[in-house]
């Protein structure tokens, strides 16, 4: 006999497959355990170094300021956090103010360890934590960012609600993520590159074709720009904007906790 009050298991995409959401958490952890040591090198090879320009644009959009607490979720090896720290310190030297604090939070301890080994900036601290259950109080940070990480979260809507919860009134939300190319010619070329070249490069360099096959598939399953904008607004953010990068291969979504 079926219990009508029972809640169906929540599923989430893992590449082109749909899996139980709790299972996805462990599967994604396994992927990043595997790729952590080669993650930064693979980013350069997969994007031809363009990811650095995307990250520069995202950091400029966030506009870190002296005295702020900035939470960088899925912060991995600290690429974005280093940018935020340096920008906040430069602003502090120009106009004074307190030191900024940049918290790098990632679910994967191997990624955090790889980041610590690379070295950080004085403003940075490192923490292992879950984007769906952030280990911070309500209204405790001035800015929240997540770069190339939200598509790996088992429940994107819950992660967005958590971002809204921890932001102070007037706080800034920023997400940099692979997205949907706006022109069909770019989309076809990018599909050909990503599905044919990236898993092969992953096999040659990182000795892990399967993990990079997942990463490519996860990009295709991620919502397009207008859909993701609507999701951010549904989580309680205002004045949400979208900035396409490289013809929509990546996009910055930015909003305010008002």
């Amino acid at each position: 006999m079926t219990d009508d009050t029972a809640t169906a298991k929540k599923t989430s995409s893992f590449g082109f497959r749909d899996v139980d959401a709790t299972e996805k958490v462990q599967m994604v952890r396994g992927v990043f355990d595997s790729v952590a040591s080669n993650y930064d090198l693979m980013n350069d090879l997969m994007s031809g170094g363009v990811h650095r320009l995307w990250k520069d644009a995202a950091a400029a959009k966030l506009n870190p300021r002296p005295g702020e607490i900035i939470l960088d979720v899925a912060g991995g090896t600290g690429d974005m956090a280093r940018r935020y720290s340096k920008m906040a310190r430069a602003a502090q030297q120009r106009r004074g103010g307190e030191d900024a604090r940049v918290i790098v939070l990632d679910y994967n301890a191997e990624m955090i360890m790889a980041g610590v080994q690379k070295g950080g900036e004085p403003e940075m601290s490192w923490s292992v934590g879950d984007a769906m259950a952030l280990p911070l109080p309500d209204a405790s940070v001035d800015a929240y960012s997540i770069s190339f990480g939200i598509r790996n979260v088992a429940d994107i809507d819950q992660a967005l609600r958590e971002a809204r919860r921890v932001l102070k009134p007037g706080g800034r939300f920023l997400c940099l993520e692979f997205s949907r190319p706006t022109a069909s010619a770019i989309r076809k070329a990018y599909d050909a590159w990503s599905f044919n070249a990236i898993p092969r490069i992953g096999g040659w360099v990182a000795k892990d074709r399967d993990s990079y096959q997942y990463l490519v598939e996860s990009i295709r399953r991620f919502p397009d720009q207008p859909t993701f904008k609507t999701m951010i607004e549904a989580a309680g953010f205002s004045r949400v904007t979208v900035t396409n990068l490289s013809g929509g291969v990546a996009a910055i979504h930015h909003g305010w906790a008002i």
Side-chain angles (χ1 to χ4, degrees):
M1 185 174 182
T2 302
D3 182 357
D4 292 335
T5 64
T7 302
K9 285 187 175 180
K10 186 175 180 64
T11 61
S12 185
S13 65
F14 183 81
F16 288 156
R17 290 185 288 155
D18 289 322
V19 300
D20 183 83
T22 56
E23 183 183 0
K24 175 175 177 174
V25 172
Q26 299 305 318
M27 294 169 77
V28 169
R29 176 183 280 175
V31 167
F32 284 93
D33 279 347
S34 175
V35 305
S37 61
N38 293 289
Y39 186 72
D40 294 320
L41 172 61
M42 283 298 300
N43 281 344
D44 279 328
L45 293 175
M46 289 189 299
S47 71
V50 176
H51 75 100
R52 297 176 184 271
L53 301 179
W54 297 339
K55 290 173 179 176
D56 288 345
K61 183 73 173 178
L62 190 72
N63 188 24
R65 302 162 191 168
E68 289 191 324
I69 299 174
I70 300 169
L71 176 63
D72 184 28
V73 176
T77 59
D79 265 9
M80 294 303 297
R82 290 184 188 87
R83 286 171 169 81
Y84 299 150
S85 298
K86 291 174 181 177
M87 292 175 72
R89 195 182 322 135
Q92 182 185 32
Q93 290 169 353
R94 290 193 305 270
R95 63 187 192 218
E98 300 295 322
D99 293 343
R101 181 184 174 201
V102 183
I103 305 167
V104 184
L105 184 141
D106 198 284
Y107 191 74
N108 188 275
E110 294 291 332
M111 293 291 286
I112 290 290
M113 289 173 60
V116 171
Q117 289 172 1
K118 284 183 68 175
E121 300 294 327
E123 295 83 1
M124 291 170 59
S125 61
W126 304 84
S127 179
V128 175
D130 187 348
M132 297 183 295
L134 296 171
L136 286 93
D138 295 356
S140 58
V141 303
D142 298 285
Y144 170 110
S145 81
I146 182 166
S147 300
F148 302 117
I150 201 161
R151 73 182 189 280
N152 298 311
V153 174
D155 188 336
I156 293 173
D157 291 320
Q158 174 61 20
L160 292 172
R161 288 191 293 269
E162 276 291 274
R164 181 64 181 84
R165 178 184 67 79
V166 301
L167 277 167
K168 298 175 183 177
R172 310 183 304 288
F173 168 89
L174 181 141
C175 177
L176 170 63
E177 186 55 87
F178 290 109
S179 198
R180 196 68 51 86
T182 54
S184 60
I186 297 175
R187 189 158 52 248
K188 289 176 182 178
Y190 184 61
D191 280 347
W193 163 255
S194 57
F195 280 105
N196 293 313
I198 290 177
R200 291 181 183 178
I201 294 172
W204 295 333
V205 177
K207 311 303 181 188
D208 187 353
R209 182 187 178 104
D210 289 346
S211 290
Y212 285 93
Q213 183 70 36
Y214 155 73
L215 292 173
V216 170
E217 292 176 1
S218 70
I219 293 168
R220 292 301 167 272
R221 291 294 300 272
F222 189 70
D224 63 15
Q225 292 92 320
T227 303
F228 188 47
K229 178 177 183 286
T230 299
M231 294 169 68
I232 296 168
E233 291 168 339
F237 289 98
S238 302
R239 294 163 52 192
V240 179
T241 61
V242 181
T243 304
N244 285 318
L245 304 171
S246 300
V249 172
I252 299 168
H253 285 74
H254 182 274
W256 295 84
I258 298 176

